[in-house]
Amino acid sequence: MAEEQRPRLIMYSSEFCPTCVKARQVLSAEGVDYEERMLDDVDEWQAAVLANTKQATVPVFVHPDGKWEVGFRGERG
């Protein structure tokens, strides 16, 4: 029986956002499996963040349960 692939954390970010840089470092150090989506040049992802959060700030996380969260541990970029 094949192993089921579980959903993972998605992080919408910007390349030079200081909070995004910190989030990348912490998540990697903690061994968190996540997919990063850089908003810098992808209009579709920018539109998704705005539609789901009504905010234009990063980082934004989509948790495996589908919940959207703006910011990283109380910080926003």
Side-chain angles (χ1 to χ4, degrees):
M1 186 167 164
E3 184 178 326
E4 213 175 295
Q5 184 176 352
R6 65 172 204 246
R8 63 184 188 176
L9 183 69
I10 297 171
M11 178 173 83
Y12 289 95
S13 63
S14 179
E15 186 174 0
F16 299 109
C17 156
T19 306
C20 298
V21 171
K22 178 180 179 180
R24 277 184 213 107
Q25 293 169 342
V26 171
L27 293 174
S28 293
E30 292 178 353
V32 175
D33 181 29
Y34 71 99
E35 173 186 341
E36 186 170 12
R37 297 181 179 178
M38 295 275 206
L39 297 180
D40 301 299
D41 298 315
V42 183
D43 293 339
E44 181 181 331
W45 289 346
Q46 292 172 14
V49 168
L50 189 57
N52 285 282
T53 67
K54 309 294 187 246
Q55 298 184 44
T57 188
V58 288
V60 171
F61 295 90
V62 182
H63 294 272
D65 65 2
K67 178 184 171 206
W68 288 70
E69 177 183 10
V70 178
F72 179 69
R73 298 183 179 171
E75 294 181 35
R76 295 179 183 197

